[in-house]
């Protein structure tokens, strides 16, 4: 293989905005970008000067004049010539011009392209994978053009999707040294920073003021987030839907849905090692290996392996092992299939205590640990996925997928209640050897046809997801801790004698199920007007046994959606949409007096108007106005033990703005914000009328930026400012969670050592050491320094 290259002319972009004092400036900056004329060449164009010569020499010069690394065999270009190329081109367009008429095509992975002979057989479009969707690189400003699919709608343009969405690609996850997805959601302007559950690593993300607890994996929704484990190393991209998703994914997810798109095989060989530190003494090693088994590229593989060990920034010992294996194949010209498996073994000691009630929130230091070493989590998870796509003709496509996850956990936790004198009482909880099982799957049939001049893509489908929770009769113990203690004394709480806990056989205690029968039609009237309409006959089933009582219910509802899209010009899409969602009534947890009770199911409604504008190919601006109506659920704060109840209507009106991509050749931003007017209406309790729903920030403003220093090749500075407004921890709005602004800074340097690409990343999270609350129960992340070194081998 030949490797024409020079040291990468990195356009990765990062800047620090630590001097900007206010969220208002963030909104002003976004608006200023919209009205400021963009440079015509804000697409990474470079000056190309290649004379007429043999193609092999021309490719060598192209590699020297751009950031491309071009791989090919000498036989491929032998006796081929080029007439040369002069002018300003993007690197990829320059390569395309040189290869025109040669019978050679290329595949791209980041800045590396592989040349190959054009095949005589053209295969049909494959199911979405990392290879087919590899967008959102740092060089492209993390801008993604297509989404992998949303509900029964298949792969489509992000700009022409009539929902408010944001996509976080794997390049950004890696470049901020994210230990888990909490760091990513903290940065995203559509989401509040979530707490990462102590007993697993799936965030409970708040979007549009509502918590989205149940994740979606590769388009397959889960019935319950408990027991679900996700690692950043298996994620290729995160597709964030802001807004009600009932028609798309069935029950729940009133505020939005999080689709974790997992990694797939690469079209070109990938061999990458990363060594780093997530903060404190948490060192880790990560290997990412991918490629094709055969010369035709029909069968591929991908493996991601992680080992992590050490203490967090507040002294919590962590040990984690992850193995992610993927195989795929174009079995015939019309049939594609893949198989994915992930093993995760996560162990954590001295996990931070949870706060049930707090009188004074400003006196707690997030850089300290308030827990003894015996408070711990042990989680072992197995996940398996498979998907299939069959294209028997150009008119029909069959898509199907299946997911299974089995998780075992053992969790010991401490819940704190602050007293009037500032001390804390404790409730000690031990759940021994609990098991969670999640199943999910779908089957969709697409057909394309026309009625007169109106085009249709009609999809019929069925999806189902099932969750089952297993415990033994002697599984769970709650004990009162030592008498009231100060925060500094909490580390000394002795471990209780739990006795012979968890010796009885495990039996099911909780079942959730959602079934969806769907029909949707993507209608194209002409090049400017289109519509997306659909119906979902959604069914929610819930059953509880033993310690959760003995009750069950089943409810079905027809949840429709309709969206109308209009494109005044090619670069702009506007839309109006309406959607409903059937939601399971909340299962009341064991911290409430009515634990085990199931609140009634309910139907929520959302109205949305939005617009998306491609300012340039690597810069997308989107905005949306919305209204959501949902039944209100809250803690009544009764003493000594509160109850969890359903009363009144939660109404959220708001506006969102998101800007993602390259402002200039050297500057990338991901920014925007959310403003909402939220309140409780139609409550039977007059004290709740007009109050703010719990844990819902009505204001957010965030911006992350990268700036590539033009005078130091390969060096980028990074930084972010993230503002979250005040929220309330209780329904009557007496316990206020203060607003906060967080600052991150960092740097990234890319070079070559011994002819191998080398990337060094450094990130400081919560630069000022701000004390803050992620929500009413969880403390924020302390100042943390993370770094990594990645190299190819």
């Amino acid at each position: 293989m030949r490797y024409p290259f020079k040291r990468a002319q990195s356009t990765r972009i990062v800047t620090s905005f630590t001097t900007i004092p206010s969220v208002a400036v963030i909104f002003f900056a976004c608006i200023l970008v919209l009205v400021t004329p963009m440079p015509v060449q804000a697409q990474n164009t470079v000056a190309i000067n290649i004379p007429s010569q043999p193609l092999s020499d021309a490719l060598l010069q192209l590699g020297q004049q751009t950031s491309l690394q071009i791989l090919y065999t000498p036989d491929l270009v032998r006796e081929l010539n080029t007439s040369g190329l002069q002018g300003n081109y993007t690197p990829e367009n320059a390569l395309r011009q040189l290869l025109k008429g040669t019978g050679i095509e290329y595949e791209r992975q980041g800045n590396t392209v592989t040349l190959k002979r054009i095949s005589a057989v053209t295969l049909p479009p494959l199911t979405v994978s990392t290879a087919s969707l590899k967008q959102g690189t740092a060089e492209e400003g993390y801008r993604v053009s297509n989404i992998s699919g949303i509900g029964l709608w298949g792969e489509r343009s992000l700009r022409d999707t009539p929902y408010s969405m944001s996509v976080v690609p794997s390049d950004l996850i890696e470049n901020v040294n994210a230990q888990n997805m909490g760091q990513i959601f903290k940065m995203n302007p559509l989401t509040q920073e979530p707490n990462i559950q102590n007993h697993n690593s799936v965030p409970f993300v708040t979007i549009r003021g509502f918590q989205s607890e149940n994740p979606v994996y590769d388009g397959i929704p889960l019935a319950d987030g408990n027991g679900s484990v996700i690692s950043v190393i298996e994620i290729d991209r995160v597709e964030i839907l802001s807004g009600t998703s009932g028609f798309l994914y069935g029950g729940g997810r009133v505020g939005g849905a999080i689709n974790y798109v997992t990694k797939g095989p690469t079209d070109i060989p990938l061999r990458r090692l990363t060594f780093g530190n997530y903060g404190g003494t948490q060192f880790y090693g990560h290997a990412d290996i991918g490629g094709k088994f055969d010369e035709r590229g029909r069968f591929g593989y991908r493996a991601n392996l992680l080992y992590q060990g050490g203490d967090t920034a507040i002294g919590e010992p962590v040990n984690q092992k992850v193995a992610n294996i993927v195989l795929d194949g174009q079995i015939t010209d019309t049939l594609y299939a893949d198989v994915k498996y992930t093993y995760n073994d996560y162990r954590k000691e001295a996990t931070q205590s949870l706060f049930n009630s707090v009188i004074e929130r400003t006196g707690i230091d997030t850089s300290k640990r308030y827990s003894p070493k015996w408070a711990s989590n042990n989680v072992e998870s197995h996940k398996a996925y498979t998907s299939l796509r069959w294209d028997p003709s150009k008119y029909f496509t069959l898509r199907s997928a299946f997911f299974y996850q089995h998780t075992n956990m053992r969790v010991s936790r401490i819940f704190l209640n602050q007293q009037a004198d500032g001390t804390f009482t404790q409730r000690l909880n031990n759940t021994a050897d609990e098991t969670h099982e999640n199943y999910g799957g779908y089957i969709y049939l697409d057909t394309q046809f026309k009625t007169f001049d109106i085009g249709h893509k009609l999809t019929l489908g069925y999806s189902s997801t099932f969750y089952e929770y297993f415990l033994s009769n002697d599984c769970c113990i709650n004990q009162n801790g030592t008498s009231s203690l100060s925060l500094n004394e909490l580390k000394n709480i002795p471990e209780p004698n739990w006795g012979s806990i968890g010796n009885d056989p495990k039996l099911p205690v909780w079942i959730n199920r959602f079934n969806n029968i769907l029909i949707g039609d993507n209608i194209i009237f002409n090049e400017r007007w289109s519509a997306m309409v659909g119906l979902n006959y959604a069914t929610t089933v819930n059953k509880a046994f033993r310690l959760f009582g003995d009750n069950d219910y089943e409810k079905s509802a027809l949840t429709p959606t309709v969206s109308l899209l209009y494109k005044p010009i090619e670069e702009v899409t506007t839309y109006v949409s309406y959607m409903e969602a059937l939601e399971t009534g909340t299962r009341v947890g064991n911290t409430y007096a009515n634990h085990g009770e199931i609140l009634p199911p309910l139907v929520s409604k959302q109205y949305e108007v939005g617009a998306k504008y491609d300012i340039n190919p690597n810069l997308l601006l989107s905005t949306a106005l919305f209204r959501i109506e949902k039944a209100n659920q809250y803690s009544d704060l009764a003493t000594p033990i509160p109850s969890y109840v359903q009363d009144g209507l939660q109404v959220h009106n708001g506006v969102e703005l998101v800007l993602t991509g390259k402002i200039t050749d050297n500057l990338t931003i991901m920014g925007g914000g959310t403003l909402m007017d939220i309140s409780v209406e139609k409550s039977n309790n007059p004290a709740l009328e007009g109050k703010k729903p719990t844990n819902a920030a009505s204001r957010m403003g965030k911006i992350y930026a990268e700036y590539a220093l033009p005078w130091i090749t390969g060096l980028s500075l990074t930084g972010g400012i993230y503002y979250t407004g005040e929220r309330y921890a209780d329904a009557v709005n007496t316990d206020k969670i203060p607003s906060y602004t967080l600052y991150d800074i960092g740097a990234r340097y890319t070079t070559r050592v011994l002819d191998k690409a080398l990337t060094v990343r450094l990130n400081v999270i919560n630069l000022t050491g701000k004390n803050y609350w992620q929500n009413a129960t969880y403390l924020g992340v302390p100042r943390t320094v993370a770094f990594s070194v990645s190299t190819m081998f």
Side-chain angles (χ1 to χ4, degrees), residues 28-39 613 615-616 619 663:
F28 177 76
C30 293
I31 294 170
L32 182 62
V33 167
L34 176 62
V35 300
T36 302
M38 299 305 300
Y613 173 31
I615 299 174
N616 68 50
L619 185 63
I663 300 295

Side-chain angles (χ1 to χ4, degrees), residues 531-589:
M532 297 167 67
V533 297
L535 293 172
N536 179 359
Y537 185 72
T539 300
T540 175
V541 178
N542 183 272
K543 297 182 180 181
F545 315 93
R546 297 162 53 223
L547 78 161
F548 288 111
D550 187 9
N551 47 52
D552 62 82
Y553 70 77
E554 178 176 335
K555 181 175 180 179
S556 299
L558 192 65
T559 55
T561 186
V562 58
S563 301
L564 182 64
L565 297 86
Y566 173 66
K567 298 170 67 70
I569 58 175
E570 176 58 31
E571 295 79 13
V572 174
T573 300
T574 62
Y575 65 90
V576 294
S577 69
Y578 171 79
M579 192 176 296
E580 293 183 1
L582 174 66
E583 185 179 9
T584 301
T586 298
R587 172 193 67 181
V588 179

